[in-house]
């Protein structure tokens, strides 16, 4: 990435990022037109390629940016500042919803990127995701007070079931055409309450 991108005004950077999320969320990597990103961001295609040497660099930058933004959203809500797992989930939900309001297509982009089959980017995306997923799980289990949870459950299985449920929800919302922050918050508040009743002593 050209360092000039980081010297752009914050609102211009945000617009390019948002438009990148939007366009790449609506098509496969191969079919997504970079020219459309430039047009929506009100810059020329040549200027966009001045900051990013090619489509792959732009795509992987957006992937890493989605990770950075999500991580920052979690830190803002102090997700790991509690040992109550269900409180962690509520803080995480709030952080993700706040992020969606600023970057409406970040979740749709991340989901499509995760399922992207193009060999030009697939391995890097999958390797990155696996590393992040393992690190997130490790950090969470370092602070969770397991004494709050029922003795007859496998905590790692519980964690995985919640990941699968969350992925399934987002995938369904993506197919239906919209991942809405307010609906996400409402639906997951109910889910967290149900999980709390099922898994907590």
């Amino acid at each position: 990435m050209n360092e000039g991108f980081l010297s752009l005004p914050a609102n211009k950077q945000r617009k390019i990022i948002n438009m990148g999320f939007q366009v790449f969320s609506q098509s496969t990597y191969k079919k997504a037109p970079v020219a459309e990103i430039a047009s929506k961001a009100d810059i020329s295609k040549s200027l966009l390629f001045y900051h990013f040497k090619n489509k792959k660099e732009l795509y992987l930058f957006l992937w890493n940016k989605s990770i950075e933004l999500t991580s920052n959203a979690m830190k803002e809500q102090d997700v790991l500042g509690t040992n109550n797992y269900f409180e962690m989930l509520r803080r995480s939900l709030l952080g993700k919803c706040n992020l969606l309001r600023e970057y409406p297509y970040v979740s749709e982009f991340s989901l499509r990127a995760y399922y992207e089959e193009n060999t030009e980017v697939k391995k890097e995306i999958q390797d990155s995701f696996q590393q992040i997923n393992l690190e997130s799980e490790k950090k969470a289990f370092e602070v969770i007070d397991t004494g709050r949870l029922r003795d007859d459950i496998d905590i790692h299985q519980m964690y995985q079931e919640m990941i699968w449920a969350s992925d399934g929800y987002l995938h369904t919302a993506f197919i239906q055409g919209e991942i809405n922050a307010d609906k996400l918050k409402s639906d997951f508040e109910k889910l967290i309450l149900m999980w709390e009743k099922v898994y907590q002593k």
Side-chain angles (χ1 to χ4, degrees):
M1 182 183 68
N2 191 297
E3 290 299 319
F5 179 78
L6 299 179
S7 68
L8 292 174
N11 63 331
K12 176 58 73 172
Q13 290 186 45
R14 188 179 301 110
K15 189 167 187 179
I16 293 170
I17 291 166
N18 256 324
M19 295 306 99
F21 286 156
Q22 181 182 19
V23 172
F24 278 121
S25 74
Q26 295 171 344
S27 301
T28 61
Y29 169 76
K30 184 176 181 179
K31 292 183 178 179
V34 174
E36 185 177 347
I37 298 173
S39 176
K40 287 177 176 290
D42 297 322
I43 63 171
S44 67
K45 184 178 176 181
S46 60
L47 183 56
L48 187 60
F49 279 129
Y50 171 75
H51 295 305
F52 304 94
K53 65 182 181 182
N54 54 38
K55 188 177 190 178
K56 178 181 178 180
E57 185 175 276
L58 172 60
Y59 192 82
L60 293 178
F61 165 78
L62 290 169
W63 169 257
N64 290 321
K65 176 58 69 171
S66 72
I67 294 167
E68 177 190 333
L69 290 169
T70 302
S71 176
N72 289 342
M74 299 304 100
K75 289 175 182 175
E76 286 175 6
Q77 297 302 320
D78 195 23
V79 170
L80 295 176
T82 176
N83 62 10
N84 183 325
Y85 183 55
F86 303 100
E87 176 60 21
M88 281 186 194
L89 293 178
R90 290 187 174 93
R91 294 182 186 188
S92 176
L93 174 62
L94 184 58
K96 288 175 182 176
C97 289
N98 288 343
L99 178 59
L100 271 174
R101 292 185 180 98
E102 186 173 2
Y103 294 90
Y105 298 96
V106 62
S107 289
E108 293 178 32
F109 164 77
S110 298
L111 197 61
R112 185 177 282 278
Y114 174 74
Y115 288 107
E116 178 58 57
E117 289 296 324
N118 190 289
T119 55
E120 192 173 347
V121 295
K122 180 178 179 178
K123 187 177 187 305
E124 289 180 70
I125 296 292
Q126 289 295 317
D127 288 349
S128 170
F129 176 81
Q130 292 301 326
Q131 180 181 351
I132 293 162
N133 198 39
L134 287 172
E135 289 176 357
S136 297
E137 183 175 352
K138 181 176 181 292
K139 288 177 181 178
F141 281 112
E142 284 175 352
V143 297
I144 291 172
D145 178 8
T146 57
R148 296 174 180 265
L149 303 173
R150 285 172 38 193
D151 297 327
D152 60 342
I153 64 166
D154 181 331
I155 186 173
H156 293 279
Q157 183 64 41
M158 176 196 75
Y159 181 87
Q160 191 59 58
E161 286 174 3
M162 292 178 180
I163 294 294
W164 288 334
S166 300
D167 286 350
Y169 176 95
L170 290 172
H171 189 62
T172 300
F174 176 72
I175 291 172
Q176 292 175 345
E178 183 181 22
I179 299 177
N180 178 274
D182 293 330
K183 189 173 189 309
L184 178 71
K185 185 173 184 295
S186 174
D187 290 345
F188 268 85
E189 282 175 345
K190 295 172 187 175
L191 262 180
I192 293 169
L193 183 60
M194 181 190 72
W195 288 332
E196 198 168 29
K197 291 177 179 178
V198 170
Y199 292 113
Q200 193 164 245
K201 287 180 180 177

